[in-house]
Every structure is written in C-alpha cells, then in structure tokens.
C-alpha cells in the first residue's frame, strides 16, 4: 500500500553533479540537450563500468515535448536505449549521454494539449538500490521526509518546495530493466548529490556533499 507524508523535509536534494571525463564536451551536450541549468558538471577520471546505478528522469507536459528533448539529445550525440513509445503510464523514451549518464524523458499525458515546449516540469534523480526499505530508513535518519512509498519497490522524498528536483529510490534490478540495460556494473557511480547537513555516503555508495 502506498503511504504519503505531508510534512516538509528538514533535508532535501539541492543539486546533482555529474562527473565527466571531458568537461567541455559534456557542457556542449547538456546545453544542446536543454538541461544545463538543472545540473552541475565536474571533471573526473574515476572508473565506472556497466550500469552506474542511477538515472535522471525529466517529466514534461506532453508527447511532443518528450520527442523534442529526445531529438535534441540524439542530435547532440546521445544513444537511444528505448525509443519513445506509449505505455500504461503515459509516453516516454530513454537515451544515454556521451558521458554515460542515462536519461529518461516522459509525460503522463498520452496526447498533446498544446505545442511542444522546452519546459521541464520536474527532474527526478532515481537511485537504483539493493534494499529500498533499508535505504529509505537510512535517508529518513539523515533528515529526509518520505513523500511516497510503495513497499520495497519505490520511495520518493519530499523536495525543498520548488518541486523542480526530487530524489527517489527504486530497486536496482527493476530500474535497469525499465531503462533497457543490464543491471551489472561496478566502480564509481560518477554522480555526487548535495543537500543541507554533513557529508555522507549511503548504503549503496552514493555520495552526498
């Protein structure tokens, strides 16, 4: 059964930093993709193989906007992992940026009610974790507030009130399947999270500054 909490969180995800091998190339890609204002980039040579255990998901207004973001990503050098298609939940597709980061662009709307835009309604950092319940408890202990919870399958934390950036947990194997990639992977996640409070590393190795 889903549970919800209406109280404001003491701590929330404030920003996401992607670690990339080629900083200038990544800046060009994310500017062309249309998300440069929503994340930070840092040069890093950390080794990572296979699935890095997370995805960044963009929620937009309609199918035409989904298609526009996907087209911009592919034109800038992204690889299509899942072509845009209708589903039970709406319409969306998945691409992988040249730096290796996987992006999902989706909408709950199955039909357009207006022209395509470049507006992002919400960006969600989805962490693939081994034990959703245990990791959820850990984050609650760090001061985050659970906004939605579906047993051991999914948990979402309250944002800072702006609604622009959210953190959610998903079973790692389930997230990889949803993205269309094998779940295996090791090395650095190549992503750093930031929020209020002291730095910490969660049970699945994701680092907070």
């Amino acid at each position: 059964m889903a549970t919800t909490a209406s109280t404001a969180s003491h701590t929330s995800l404030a920003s996401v930093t992607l670690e990339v091998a080629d900083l200038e190339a990544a800046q060009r890609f994310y500017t062309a993709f249309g998300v440069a204002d929503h994340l930070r980039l840092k040069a890093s040579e950390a080794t990572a193989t296979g699935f890095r255990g997370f995805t960044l998901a963009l929620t937009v207004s309609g199918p035409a906007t989904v298609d526009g973001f996907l087209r911009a990503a592919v034109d800038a050098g992204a690889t299509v992992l899942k072509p845009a298609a209708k589903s039970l939940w709406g319409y969306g597709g998945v691409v992988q940026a040249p730096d290796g980061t996987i992006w999902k662009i989706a909408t709950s709307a199955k039909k357009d009610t207006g022209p395509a835009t470049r507006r992002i309604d919400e960006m969600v950092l989805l962490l693939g974790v081994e034990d959703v319940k245990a990791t959820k408890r850990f984050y609650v202990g760090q001061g985050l507030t659970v906004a939605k919870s579906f047993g051991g399958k999914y948990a979402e934390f309250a944002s800072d009130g702006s609604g622009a950036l959210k953190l959610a947990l998903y079973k790692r194997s389930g997230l990889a399947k949803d993205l269309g990639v094998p779940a295996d992977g090791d090395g650095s996640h190549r992503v750093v999270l930031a929020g209020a409070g002291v730095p910490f590393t969660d049970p699945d190795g994701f680092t907070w500054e």
Side-chain angles (χ1 to χ4, degrees):
M1 178 182 293
T3 60
T4 61
S6 59
T7 56
S9 61
H10 298 291
T11 302
S12 61
L13 180 62
S15 68
V16 174
T17 299
L18 298 178
E19 296 182 343
V20 298
D22 188 330
L23 188 58
E24 291 186 1
Q27 289 173 334
R28 288 194 299 271
F29 171 80
Y30 287 113
T31 297
F33 183 19
V35 301
D37 293 339
H38 297 267
L39 51 81
R40 300 174 181 177
L41 302 173
K42 180 172 70 173
S44 173
E45 295 296 334
T47 300
T49 61
F51 181 42
R52 295 180 185 174
F54 76 94
T55 190
L56 283 159
L58 304 180
T59 302
V60 298
S61 61
T65 299
V66 169
D67 290 339
F69 273 102
L70 291 173
R71 186 163 50 249
V74 171
D75 288 347
T79 301
V80 176
L81 297 181
K82 276 192 171 182
K86 290 183 179 179
S87 70
L88 179 64
W89 308 108
Y91 180 84
V94 182
V95 295
Q96 187 167 30
D99 65 84
T101 304
I102 297 175
W103 291 81
K104 181 175 183 178
I105 303 93
T107 177
S108 59
K110 295 185 180 181
K111 293 183 179 180
D112 289 307
T113 56
T117 71
R118 298 294 285 165
R119 174 186 168 87
I120 297 170
D121 294 331
E122 184 177 85
M123 186 166 86
V124 181
L125 174 63
L126 275 161
L127 303 183
V129 302
E130 293 301 326
D131 188 330
V132 172
K133 289 184 178 180
T135 303
K136 179 178 67 176
R137 288 194 298 269
F138 173 84
Y139 275 112
V140 169
Q142 296 296 325
L144 279 76
T145 298
V146 177
K148 297 178 183 178
S149 181
F150 296 88
K153 296 182 179 180
Y154 177 84
E156 183 179 295
F157 299 97
S159 67
D160 62 3
S162 68
L165 180 60
K166 288 186 177 180
L167 175 69
L169 309 176
Y170 202 167
K171 186 77 174 176
R172 181 186 172 101
S173 57
L175 180 58
K177 182 178 180 180
D178 182 60
L179 299 173
V181 297
D184 295 337
D186 56 28
S188 173
H189 292 297
R190 301 292 287 271
V191 66
V192 179
L193 294 64
V198 298
F200 64 87
T201 299
D202 79 5
D204 293 271
F206 290 99
T207 302
W208 284 66
E209 292 181 342

